[in-house]
């Protein structure tokens, strides 16, 4: 087993709001957790702690529970982790605020029999079969909303964790039912990767290669190699102006099982 991970902030003067962790429990198998904290527009989120505090709490709990409680399905792991994180600041913060700290989630867990996954919001999970074929698991609910509908903070807030909109892990444990989950027989998976959108843009925004090419970069050049390639494209003066901010927190983890 080989696991390689990297995380780079989008801006030197702002904290990285991504979380990446990997665990190889003594019982065997492994766990990967990737979160992308949502930066609150105008900085107003009703929380005295901030997004880095939130992703560290949630990421830590997800890693601990998915590694230690193999009997607990991943959607239940997410339910319990969101609840524990909300409980940690329920008395000090307004958890009913629409922009209460929130994050995208990818969790992958494997043992000798299965590779389980959970994906919520727009971080990317890639599964590679022994023959090299790559399957991307994408929660594209945010991408299906026309850009013009998301033209203002108020319009985006109206769709945030709302029916017909898009879902992130915030303060309501019930969101776990919205996550994409599944499991694949272990012998049908050679490698897995999880990327926040700051790293997946190498494929889905900049079109530098398809998902199989992206996985090939991760294998040959490592997680930092992929992020370095993203930064090179972002800094290319010939690049047409993209709809995304110039740099975003970028995180990637790659595991050969
Ligand atoms: Zn708080």
């Amino acid at each position: 087993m080989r696991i390689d991970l990297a995380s780079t902030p989008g801006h030197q003067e702002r904290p990285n709001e991504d979380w990446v962790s990997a665990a190889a429990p003594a019982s065997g198998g492994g766990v990967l957790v990737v979160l992308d904290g949502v930066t609150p527009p105008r900085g107003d989120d009703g929380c005295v702690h901030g997004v880095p505090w939130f992703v560290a709490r949630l990421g830590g709990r997800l890693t601990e529970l998915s590694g230690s409680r193999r009997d607990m399905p991943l959607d239940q792991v997410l339910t319990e982790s969101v609840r524990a994180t909300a409980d940690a600041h329920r008395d000090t913060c307004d958890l009913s605020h629409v922009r209460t700290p929130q994050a995208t989630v990818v969790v992958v867990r494997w043992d000798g029999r299965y590779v389980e996954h959970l994906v919520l919001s727009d971080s990317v999970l890639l599964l590679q079969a022994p023959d090299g074929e790559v399957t991307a698991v994408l929660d594209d609910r945010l991408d299906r909303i026309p850009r013009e509908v998301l033209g203002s903070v108020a319009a985006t807030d109206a769709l945030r964790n709302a029916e017909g909109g898009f879902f992130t892990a915030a303060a309501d444990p019930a969101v776990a039912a919205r996550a994409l989950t599944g499991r694949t027989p272990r012998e049908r998976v050679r490698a897995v990767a999880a990327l926040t959108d700051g790293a997946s843009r190498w494929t889905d925004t900049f079109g530098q290669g398809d998902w199989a090419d992206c996985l090939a970069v991760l294998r040959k050049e490592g997680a930092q190699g992929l992020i370095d390639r993203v930064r090179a494209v972002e800094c290319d003066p010939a690049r047409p102006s993209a709809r995304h901010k110039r740099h975003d927190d970028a995180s990637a983890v790659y595991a050969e099982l």
Side-chain angles (χ1 to χ4, degrees), residues 45-50 53-54 85 88-90 92-95 100-101:
D45 60 7
C47 172
V48 302
H49 303 93
W53 177 91
F54 174 81
T85 304
H89 65 151
R90 192 180 303 285
T92 51
C93 306
D94 175 14
L95 302 192
T100 188

PDB file of all heavy atoms in Angstrom, residues 45-50 53-54 85 88-90 92-95 100-101, ligand 1:
ATOM      1  N   ASP A  45     -20.756  34.125   9.235  1.00  0.00           N
ATOM      2  CA  ASP A  45     -21.258  32.755   9.301  1.00  0.00           C
ATOM      3  C   ASP A  45     -21.855  32.396  10.662  1.00  0.00           C
ATOM      4  O   ASP A  45     -22.188  31.239  10.905  1.00  0.00           O
ATOM      5  CB  ASP A  45     -20.162  31.752   8.919  1.00  0.00           C
ATOM      6  CG  ASP A  45     -18.948  31.830   9.833  1.00  0.00           C
ATOM      7  OD1 ASP A  45     -19.000  32.565  10.846  1.00  0.00           O
ATOM      8  OD2 ASP A  45     -17.960  31.147   9.545  1.00  0.00           O
ATOM      9  N   GLY A  46     -21.993  33.349  11.546  1.00  0.00           N
ATOM     10  CA  GLY A  46     -22.622  33.100  12.845  1.00  0.00           C
ATOM     11  C   GLY A  46     -21.786  32.266  13.800  1.00  0.00           C
ATOM     12  O   GLY A  46     -22.278  31.807  14.825  1.00  0.00           O
ATOM     13  N   CYS A  47     -20.494  32.052  13.448  1.00  0.00           N
ATOM     14  CA  CYS A  47     -19.628  31.161  14.244  1.00  0.00           C
ATOM     15  C   CYS A  47     -18.413  31.930  14.737  1.00  0.00           C
ATOM     16  O   CYS A  47     -17.788  32.659  13.969  1.00  0.00           O
ATOM     17  CB  CYS A  47     -19.191  29.978  13.377  1.00  0.00           C
ATOM     18  SG  CYS A  47     -17.936  28.897  14.114  1.00  0.00           S
ATOM     19  N   VAL A  48     -18.093  31.760  16.024  1.00  0.00           N
ATOM     20  CA  VAL A  48     -16.932  32.471  16.574  1.00  0.00           C
ATOM     21  C   VAL A  48     -15.626  31.728  16.283  1.00  0.00           C
ATOM     22  O   VAL A  48     -14.540  32.246  16.536  1.00  0.00           O
ATOM     23  CB  VAL A  48     -17.058  32.678  18.106  1.00  0.00           C
ATOM     24  CG1 VAL A  48     -18.333  33.463  18.440  1.00  0.00           C
ATOM     25  CG2 VAL A  48     -17.035  31.343  18.858  1.00  0.00           C
ATOM     26  N   HIS A  49     -15.717  30.499  15.751  1.00  0.00           N
ATOM     27  CA  HIS A  49     -14.524  29.653  15.592  1.00  0.00           C
ATOM     28  C   HIS A  49     -13.882  29.760  14.216  1.00  0.00           C
ATOM     29  O   HIS A  49     -12.665  29.759  14.097  1.00  0.00           O
ATOM     30  CB  HIS A  49     -14.893  28.193  15.847  1.00  0.00           C
ATOM     31  CG  HIS A  49     -15.498  27.951  17.172  1.00  0.00           C
ATOM     32  ND1 HIS A  49     -16.856  27.947  17.386  1.00  0.00           N
ATOM     33  CD2 HIS A  49     -14.913  27.729  18.373  1.00  0.00           C
ATOM     34  CE1 HIS A  49     -17.101  27.713  18.672  1.00  0.00           C
ATOM     35  NE2 HIS A  49     -15.943  27.582  19.289  1.00  0.00           N
ATOM     36  N   GLY A  50     -14.704  29.748  13.166  1.00  0.00           N
ATOM     37  CA  GLY A  50     -14.163  29.846  11.817  1.00  0.00           C
ATOM     38  C   GLY A  50     -14.087  28.500  11.114  1.00  0.00           C
ATOM     39  O   GLY A  50     -14.199  27.433  11.724  1.00  0.00           O
ATOM     40  N   TRP A  53     -11.291  25.738  12.049  1.00  0.00           N
ATOM     41  CA  TRP A  53     -11.687  25.014  13.267  1.00  0.00           C
ATOM     42  C   TRP A  53     -12.721  23.948  12.915  1.00  0.00           C
ATOM     43  O   TRP A  53     -12.633  22.799  13.358  1.00  0.00           O
ATOM     44  CB  TRP A  53     -12.265  26.006  14.272  1.00  0.00           C
ATOM     45  CG  TRP A  53     -12.793  25.413  15.547  1.00  0.00           C
ATOM     46  CD1 TRP A  53     -12.102  25.221  16.714  1.00  0.00           C
ATOM     47  CD2 TRP A  53     -14.136  24.923  15.778  1.00  0.00           C
ATOM     48  NE1 TRP A  53     -12.931  24.649  17.652  1.00  0.00           N
ATOM     49  CE2 TRP A  53     -14.181  24.452  17.118  1.00  0.00           C
ATOM     50  CE3 TRP A  53     -15.285  24.834  15.008  1.00  0.00           C
ATOM     51  CZ2 TRP A  53     -15.327  23.907  17.687  1.00  0.00           C
ATOM     52  CZ3 TRP A  53     -16.431  24.290  15.565  1.00  0.00           C
ATOM     53  CH2 TRP A  53     -16.451  23.828  16.894  1.00  0.00           C
ATOM     54  N   PHE A  54     -13.707  24.317  12.097  1.00  0.00           N
ATOM     55  CA  PHE A  54     -14.781  23.399  11.743  1.00  0.00           C
ATOM     56  C   PHE A  54     -14.257  22.188  10.971  1.00  0.00           C
ATOM     57  O   PHE A  54     -14.584  21.042  11.288  1.00  0.00           O
ATOM     58  CB  PHE A  54     -15.832  24.144  10.915  1.00  0.00           C
ATOM     59  CG  PHE A  54     -16.921  23.255  10.383  1.00  0.00           C
ATOM     60  CD1 PHE A  54     -17.991  22.883  11.185  1.00  0.00           C
ATOM     61  CD2 PHE A  54     -16.873  22.781   9.081  1.00  0.00           C
ATOM     62  CE1 PHE A  54     -18.996  22.057  10.708  1.00  0.00           C
ATOM     63  CE2 PHE A  54     -17.875  21.945   8.587  1.00  0.00           C
ATOM     64  CZ  PHE A  54     -18.932  21.588   9.405  1.00  0.00           C
ATOM     65  N   THR A  85     -19.608  17.516  15.864  1.00  0.00           N
ATOM     66  CA  THR A  85     -19.015  18.820  15.558  1.00  0.00           C
ATOM     67  C   THR A  85     -19.994  19.939  15.910  1.00  0.00           C
ATOM     68  O   THR A  85     -19.603  20.967  16.493  1.00  0.00           O
ATOM     69  CB  THR A  85     -18.623  18.878  14.067  1.00  0.00           C
ATOM     70  OG1 THR A  85     -17.741  17.787  13.784  1.00  0.00           O
ATOM     71  CG2 THR A  85     -17.936  20.188  13.734  1.00  0.00           C
ATOM     72  N   ALA A  88     -20.102  20.642  19.542  1.00  0.00           N
ATOM     73  CA  ALA A  88     -18.911  21.323  20.067  1.00  0.00           C
ATOM     74  C   ALA A  88     -19.044  22.843  20.010  1.00  0.00           C
ATOM     75  O   ALA A  88     -18.266  23.548  20.648  1.00  0.00           O
ATOM     76  CB  ALA A  88     -17.665  20.870  19.298  1.00  0.00           C
ATOM     77  N   HIS A  89     -19.994  23.382  19.219  1.00  0.00           N
ATOM     78  CA  HIS A  89     -20.159  24.848  19.245  1.00  0.00           C
ATOM     79  C   HIS A  89     -21.629  25.298  19.254  1.00  0.00           C
ATOM     80  O   HIS A  89     -21.936  26.447  18.967  1.00  0.00           O
ATOM     81  CB  HIS A  89     -19.342  25.536  18.143  1.00  0.00           C
ATOM     82  CG  HIS A  89     -19.717  25.261  16.725  1.00  0.00           C
ATOM     83  ND1 HIS A  89     -19.503  26.181  15.721  1.00  0.00           N
ATOM     84  CD2 HIS A  89     -20.256  24.180  16.112  1.00  0.00           C
ATOM     85  CE1 HIS A  89     -19.886  25.684  14.556  1.00  0.00           C
ATOM     86  NE2 HIS A  89     -20.346  24.475  14.764  1.00  0.00           N
ATOM     87  N   ARG A  90     -22.498  24.375  19.661  1.00  0.00           N
ATOM     88  CA  ARG A  90     -23.920  24.710  19.734  1.00  0.00           C
ATOM     89  C   ARG A  90     -24.194  25.822  20.749  1.00  0.00           C
ATOM     90  O   ARG A  90     -25.086  26.651  20.540  1.00  0.00           O
ATOM     91  CB  ARG A  90     -24.700  23.435  20.131  1.00  0.00           C
ATOM     92  CG  ARG A  90     -26.196  23.511  19.982  1.00  0.00           C
ATOM     93  CD  ARG A  90     -26.860  22.197  20.395  1.00  0.00           C
ATOM     94  NE  ARG A  90     -26.377  21.038  19.652  1.00  0.00           N
ATOM     95  CZ  ARG A  90     -26.709  20.752  18.394  1.00  0.00           C
ATOM     96  NH1 ARG A  90     -27.510  21.556  17.738  1.00  0.00           N
ATOM     97  NH2 ARG A  90     -26.234  19.691  17.802  1.00  0.00           N
ATOM     98  N   THR A  92     -22.200  28.296  21.684  1.00  0.00           N
ATOM     99  CA  THR A  92     -21.530  29.577  21.459  1.00  0.00           C
ATOM    100  C   THR A  92     -21.898  30.215  20.121  1.00  0.00           C
ATOM    101  O   THR A  92     -21.650  31.409  19.932  1.00  0.00           O
ATOM    102  CB  THR A  92     -19.997  29.398  21.472  1.00  0.00           C
ATOM    103  OG1 THR A  92     -19.650  28.330  20.570  1.00  0.00           O
ATOM    104  CG2 THR A  92     -19.496  29.062  22.857  1.00  0.00           C
ATOM    105  N   CYS A  93     -22.457  29.424  19.193  1.00  0.00           N
ATOM    106  CA  CYS A  93     -22.608  29.913  17.820  1.00  0.00           C
ATOM    107  C   CYS A  93     -24.041  29.692  17.324  1.00  0.00           C
ATOM    108  O   CYS A  93     -24.762  28.842  17.843  1.00  0.00           O
ATOM    109  CB  CYS A  93     -21.621  29.197  16.899  1.00  0.00           C
ATOM    110  SG  CYS A  93     -19.922  29.339  17.500  1.00  0.00           S
ATOM    111  N   ASP A  94     -24.402  30.448  16.298  1.00  0.00           N
ATOM    112  CA  ASP A  94     -25.736  30.342  15.704  1.00  0.00           C
ATOM    113  C   ASP A  94     -25.710  29.293  14.596  1.00  0.00           C
ATOM    114  O   ASP A  94     -25.409  29.597  13.442  1.00  0.00           O
ATOM    115  CB  ASP A  94     -26.157  31.708  15.144  1.00  0.00           C
ATOM    116  CG  ASP A  94     -27.487  31.616  14.402  1.00  0.00           C
ATOM    117  OD1 ASP A  94     -28.187  30.588  14.547  1.00  0.00           O
ATOM    118  OD2 ASP A  94     -27.816  32.577  13.676  1.00  0.00           O
ATOM    119  N   LEU A  95     -26.045  28.048  14.958  1.00  0.00           N
ATOM    120  CA  LEU A  95     -25.949  26.956  13.986  1.00  0.00           C
ATOM    121  C   LEU A  95     -27.090  26.990  12.969  1.00  0.00           C
ATOM    122  O   LEU A  95     -27.062  26.246  11.994  1.00  0.00           O
ATOM    123  CB  LEU A  95     -25.922  25.598  14.697  1.00  0.00           C
ATOM    124  CG  LEU A  95     -24.786  25.403  15.704  1.00  0.00           C
ATOM    125  CD1 LEU A  95     -24.691  23.940  16.127  1.00  0.00           C
ATOM    126  CD2 LEU A  95     -23.459  25.864  15.143  1.00  0.00           C
ATOM    127  N   THR A 100     -23.516  28.852   8.325  1.00  0.00           N
ATOM    128  CA  THR A 100     -22.752  28.199   9.397  1.00  0.00           C
ATOM    129  C   THR A 100     -21.639  27.371   8.746  1.00  0.00           C
ATOM    130  O   THR A 100     -21.826  26.850   7.646  1.00  0.00           O
ATOM    131  CB  THR A 100     -23.689  27.328  10.265  1.00  0.00           C
ATOM    132  OG1 THR A 100     -22.954  26.858  11.404  1.00  0.00           O
ATOM    133  CG2 THR A 100     -24.224  26.129   9.504  1.00  0.00           C
ATOM    134  N   PRO A 101     -20.442  27.276   9.370  1.00  0.00           N
ATOM    135  CA  PRO A 101     -19.327  26.590   8.701  1.00  0.00           C
ATOM    136  C   PRO A 101     -19.743  25.241   8.107  1.00  0.00           C
ATOM    137  O   PRO A 101     -20.465  24.463   8.733  1.00  0.00           O
ATOM    138  CB  PRO A 101     -18.311  26.430   9.834  1.00  0.00           C
ATOM    139  CG  PRO A 101     -18.515  27.646  10.666  1.00  0.00           C
ATOM    140  CD  PRO A 101     -20.019  27.866  10.645  1.00  0.00           C
TER     141      PRO A 101
HETATM  142 ZN1  LIG B   1     -18.555  28.005  16.097  1.00  0.00          ZN
END
